[in-house]
Amino acid sequence: VISDLTDLGAKAVVNSRFWGLLYHDDMSRPLRRGDRVEGYVRRVRDDARLDLSLLPPGQARLDVVGDKVLAALADNDGFLALGDKSPADAIKARLGVSKNAFKQAIGGLYKARQIVLEANGIRRSDDDQV
């Protein structure tokens, strides 16, 4: 539960027991005091407080971001004008994820032959358009 907004991000109460902080860079959408969101613990700090994220850790994060990319492709006739050279703020505005997470996710989608990388963006591969 979001308890307060600070210069660093959003303070949250986790499981009605622990204090955590969700940094601005990890927020995919604006949050307000009282919002209930599902989140994940990135790190337990020495002061017993938590660093939080709205995306799951590890491979699960890439799966979630990959799903967002595929959904955006589906909404835009199979083309997305974003790529690994796109500005971080454009990626964040369009998909609500960091540039790093986006690049890792499109790398996985490319290896799985679900997308094709083009000079001006990414396109869903012909094999995947059924």
Side-chain angles (χ1 to χ4, degrees):
V1 176
I2 304 301
S3 66
D4 199 11
L5 300 176
T6 70
D7 292 340
L8 294 175
K11 289 170 66 175
V13 179
V14 179
N15 295 339
S16 303
R17 187 172 171 196
F18 304 101
W19 281 104
L21 181 63
L22 180 64
Y23 292 96
H24 283 294
D25 291 344
D26 292 324
M27 285 193 263
S28 57
R29 60 186 172 90
L31 298 172
R32 297 184 318 184
R33 187 179 207 178
D35 285 351
R36 290 182 166 279
V37 293
E38 183 175 325
Y40 301 88
V41 176
R42 291 183 96 177
R43 179 173 77 109
V44 178
R45 298 191 322 228
D46 292 337
D47 61 0
R49 293 184 182 217
L50 308 172
D51 286 344
L52 305 172
S53 174
L54 294 179
L55 293 174
Q59 182 61 40
R61 173 182 79 139
L62 299 181
D63 293 343
V64 169
V65 176
D67 290 344
K68 285 185 178 192
V69 170
L70 292 174
L73 286 167
D75 291 344
N76 291 290
D77 296 323
F79 181 78
L80 191 57
L82 293 175
D84 61 347
K85 303 283 191 233
S86 297
D89 57 339
I91 294 168
K92 183 77 147 181
R94 179 67 178 92
L95 299 172
V97 299
S98 70
K99 181 172 182 172
N100 184 40
F102 172 75
K103 286 174 66 172
Q104 289 177 348
I106 64 170
L109 293 171
Y110 177 75
K111 285 180 185 175
R113 299 177 191 257
Q114 292 184 284
I115 63 168
V116 176
L117 303 176
E118 297 182 354
N120 58 348
I122 58 175
R123 185 171 305 281
R124 189 174 45 198
S125 72
D126 291 335
D127 297 340
D128 203 41
Q129 294 178 358
V130 178

